[in-house]
Amino acid sequence: MFDYDVIFIGAGPGGYVGAIRTAQLGLKTACVEARETLGGTCLNVGCIPSKALLHGSEKFAEAANGTLARYGVKLGKVELDLGALQTDKADAVKGLTGGIEFLFKKNKVDWLKGYGTFKDAHTVTVAGKDYTAKEVVIATGSSVTPLPGVEVDNDKGVIVDSTGALALSKVPDHLVVIGGGVIGLEMGSVWKRLGARVTVVEFLDQLLPGMDGDVRKEAAKIFKKQGLELKLGTKVTSATVKGKKATLTVEPAKGGASETIEADCVLVAIGRRPHTEGLGLEKIGLEVNARGQIETGHDFRTKVDGVRAIGDVIPGPMLAHKAEDEGIAVAEYIATGVGIVNHDVIPGVVYTNPEFAGVGLTEEQAREKGEIKVGKFPMMANSRAKTNHEPDGFVKVIADAKTDKVLGVWAIATVAGTMIAEAALAMEFGATSEDIAYTCHAHPTHSEATKEAAMAVTGKPIHI
Ligand code: FAD
Ligand code: NAD
């Protein structure tokens, strides 16, 4: 009696993964997406294009700043072809978004092209046509949080959001980033490596809120060393644009004398907010919480029968892999009644150089909950990092003082994003620090630092 068993609204990592899994489980599935391409924020204007620019800009910096010369790679004059870098980024996006279209066809997921609006809890209107489903999953993601008084205009390219910062056609002389979070530091690093002067204005006293205190302190040191100018504990009170220049007025967050900063590009990166505009939630009697999020139970059911929600639009970290895991789980809940996402073990990574990564509790959170032991090992003492001239960072393992169970792991290392997977797996299996310490790690790898940090929990690392 319904057109579909399940309709997903939104084809980001939550919606597209959920739709594929639902179809794999034998249910008739459709996915509504308003963009021209599938993959959502992540594949189109998020994770993938930002990583393409981070990778390409690192290659440029290695060539331009003499890093390669150390290894005997002799180069002539190093010049940037920004157009070529942007083309490489576009190719990565095209390949991956096209790949999702292929997977939809392969798994017989119907792509309903257009903006989806609820008519009732089981009916979604797309491009003037009604489609019914037994279950509807909202996976509409998030959009940029605006900063009052600092108007974003990506077309002009003077005050931009992350989408604009991914598409600049020229390296700015001076880029001011408002917000020292993940986007600010990743995009700030890209443009710094390509030659811009970069100033980061952060409201709080430290960068990267949500990460472990030691990691945040070290982040400030590392980014300063790399030449980013940090204005911590500072707020932007206004911005004016004249031609191709912006003037920002800033003052200490706690109040005090103001000053102005001139910039030829300003990136507003103060967070993202759930995207529910135009969805017609009022028509199905579904309200959002004070943060604009849709609240759900463990099985992603909302208060409205037949309507579930996943990804950035619900509470929790706004991360692609969290959305993907929720996509798989919601499909399995719908098809079988059982699904699994362990929200206590969701890694987070900042893909700068070095990378900053963590999973589980910060030291501060763990101390609040009870007695803990902490083991730390510097990357400077890791043979592979030392050989590669990558001295910055450390690994920190936080364990329960009584049970030795690992509660959190934090890493700063060039490959911390890859290293953190081991920690997540260990925590998923309820490992103790001793379990990690007695697991054989290949030599010479950066991951040995995780083993040594685990050994340090009981005070017995070898190489320091
Ligand atoms: P989204 O990816 O936002 O997808 C939602 C989709 O729904 C969109 O395509 C939208 O067009 C569509 N939509 C919305 N409403 C409707 C409607 N009514 N009808 C039809 N379609 C609709 N996360 C990471 O884990 N790693 C990273 O490296 C990373 N880098 C990022 C870099 C940047 C610059 C940004 C902005 C974000 C980054 N993120 C990263 C976050 C990540 O992109 C999000 O957490 C993830 O995309 C959330 O997935 P989602 O499926 O919930 O929503
Ligand atoms: P964020 O929450 O990471 O950082 C925003 C920063 O802006 C915070 O440090 C906050 O204190 C600061 N801030 C807020 N208001 C301010 C103001 N008025 N003036 C100055 N500073 C202010 O948000 P983001 O960097 O915009 O990223 C948005 C989301 O996208 C994040 O939730 C993140 O998880 C996701 N993302 C993830 C990745 C990744 O996983 N590598 C990369 C990019 C984005």
Side-chain angles (χ1 to χ4, degrees), residues 9-15 32-35 39-42 45-47 50-51 114-116 139-142 162 183 186 272 275 279 310-312 318-321 323 351:
I9 309 180
V32 187
E33 175 55 60
R35 272 178 215 275
T41 304
C42 178
V45 290
C47 327
S50 61
K51 266 78 254 178
Y115 207 84
T140 49
S142 61
S162 53
I183 292 180
E186 288 188 353
R272 293 178 62 83
H275 179 97
L279 196 51
I310 56 168
D312 278 10
M318 288 181 163
L319 295 173
H321 41 281
Y351 297 89

Side-chain angles (χ1 to χ4, degrees), residues 400-414:
D400 184 287
K402 287 194 195 81
T403 64
D404 192 35
K405 192 171 166 187
V406 177
L407 303 173
V409 177
W410 296 87
I412 306 177
T414 49

Side-chain angles (χ1 to χ4, degrees), residues 118-205:
F118 279 105
K119 188 170 185 182
D120 60 52
H122 296 281
T123 312
V124 182
T125 308
V126 187
K129 200 165 171 236
D130 291 345
Y131 299 89
T132 59
K134 187 157 184 263
E135 299 255 5
V136 179
V137 181
I138 302 170
T140 49
S142 61
S143 49
V144 174
T145 305
L147 178 59
V150 187
E151 191 90 10
V152 166
D153 185 342
N154 285 334
D155 293 333
K156 257 195 186 158
V158 181
I159 300 184
V160 297
D161 59 20
S162 53
T163 302
L166 286 166
L168 299 180
S169 55
K170 148 178 188 299
V171 179
D173 290 332
H174 186 201
L175 169 69
V176 175
V177 176
I178 309 179
V182 196
I183 292 180
L185 294 170
E186 288 188 353
M187 294 314 301
S189 292
V190 165
W191 294 107
K192 171 76 193 152
R193 291 170 192 170
L194 298 180
R197 176 186 159 207
V198 175
T199 304
V200 178
V201 181
E202 165 58 48
F203 185 82
L204 301 173
D205 290 338

